[in-house]
Amino acid sequence: MMNINGISSISGNEMFKIDKAGFEEAQESEVSFQDFLKQSIKEVNELQVDAENKNIMLATGKIENIHDVTIASEKAKVALDLTLAVRTKVVDAYREIMRMQV
């Protein structure tokens, strides 16, 4: 028979400490939204380039492990899909805001 243990709860004080620590960390970094967006797009691009390079290396016989190529390709695909979904939501929000101003 399988033994199932309960999940211990976090007290209110502990939760406040976690939130306060995260807030202070965010204040210290002070990364602008524009910088965050540029860095995120750069990371997605790097994943795309890495996947393309691994595909070329597989085709030329420099990589024999197809699993690494598949994983790199899927990471790039998921990152691009997420980026496109976020872009779509931002454009939709912008259009909604513009509609409200009319």
Side-chain angles (χ1 to χ4, degrees):
M1 178 174 232
M2 186 184 342
N3 185 13
I4 300 175
N5 296 325
I7 299 174
S8 63
S9 64
I10 298 176
S11 70
N13 291 338
E14 291 174 16
M15 189 177 292
F16 177 73
K17 289 176 187 174
I18 293 169
D19 290 342
K20 185 178 178 185
F23 179 73
E24 289 172 353
E25 182 180 316
Q27 279 184 325
E28 289 174 7
S29 65
E30 292 190 29
V31 175
S32 71
F33 180 73
Q34 181 180 6
D35 292 338
F36 173 76
L37 191 60
K38 284 181 181 179
Q39 181 63 31
S40 298
I41 291 172
K42 181 180 176 186
E43 289 173 11
V44 170
N45 187 51
E46 288 172 359
L47 287 171
Q48 293 288 328
V49 169
D50 182 50
E52 184 178 337
N53 288 339
K54 286 187 177 182
N55 279 320
I56 291 170
M57 291 172 69
L58 178 68
T60 58
K62 294 179 182 176
I63 290 183
E64 293 181 12
N65 189 356
I66 195 165
H67 298 292
D68 291 338
V69 178
T70 304
I71 290 169
S73 296
E74 282 301 309
K75 280 183 180 180
K77 180 186 178 306
V78 169
L80 183 60
D81 289 347
L82 179 62
T83 302
L84 292 175
V86 169
R87 182 209 58 178
T88 301
K89 289 292 184 182
V90 168
V91 169
D92 289 346
Y94 175 77
R95 287 180 181 157
E96 185 65 28
I97 289 169
M98 295 309 289
R99 254 187 259 132
M100 291 169 58
Q101 291 181 357
V102 173

